[in-house]
Amino acid sequence: VQLQASGGGLVQAGGSMRLSCAASGSGFSPNALGWYRQAPGKERELVATMTNGGIANYADSVKGRFTITRDNAKNTVDLQMNSLKPEDTAVYYCNAEIWGTYSRRYNYWGQGTQVTVSS
């Protein structure tokens, strides 16, 4: 299983940026695809995820500014980030989750991409 992320970089506050992630692997069909982020000195946190049924979940801090989209056929997930704030600065990680039996969750991670928002 591989998760290849693209996008990221430096943007001014109020600007926009798009992150993309492609998941690959034989027979790999994740139940959820999404994005997490980790700022320096902080724990990794959920940004947005989407199930293969199209149900999206957003962190309160990004609701109304970020939009997650997913292509099940291609196993890709994008994150459109608008009205970016300096506090959005973090390393963003693509995540794929497989739901196993007995409520087990199996997580796979991409390599991380830096997003820096300047004030």
Side-chain angles (χ1 to χ4, degrees):
V1 174
Q2 284 192 324
L3 298 173
Q4 185 65 46
S6 60
L10 175 65
V11 65
Q12 287 190 331
S16 298
M17 185 177 290
R18 189 176 187 89
L19 304 180
S20 298
C21 178
S24 61
S26 178
F28 187 57
S29 181
N31 295 95
L33 279 174
W35 296 90
Y36 287 67
R37 67 186 181 188
Q38 188 167 18
K42 294 187 177 181
E43 293 187 352
R44 192 173 297 188
E45 63 176 4
L46 178 145
V47 177
T49 62
M50 180 172 278
T51 69
N52 51 12
I55 298 173
N57 182 34
Y58 292 94
D60 287 343
S61 60
V62 307
K63 283 180 181 176
R65 300 188 298 122
F66 291 11
T67 302
I68 188 169
T69 56
R70 174 175 175 171
D71 186 327
N72 289 335
K74 296 180 180 179
N75 264 349
T76 58
V77 61
D78 289 352
L79 185 68
Q80 178 64 41
M81 305 183 291
N82 298 328
S83 302
L84 282 160
K85 304 175 181 180
E87 51 263 44
D88 294 318
T89 295
V91 177
Y92 283 68
Y93 295 90
C94 181
N95 168 266
E97 191 172 83
I98 299 291
W99 301 343
T101 56
Y102 306 106
S103 299
R104 290 182 183 133
R105 302 291 175 106
Y106 301 92
N107 281 278
Y108 301 88
W109 298 95
Q111 78 277 18
T113 185
Q114 177 70 45
V115 172
T116 302
V117 184
S118 63
S119 56

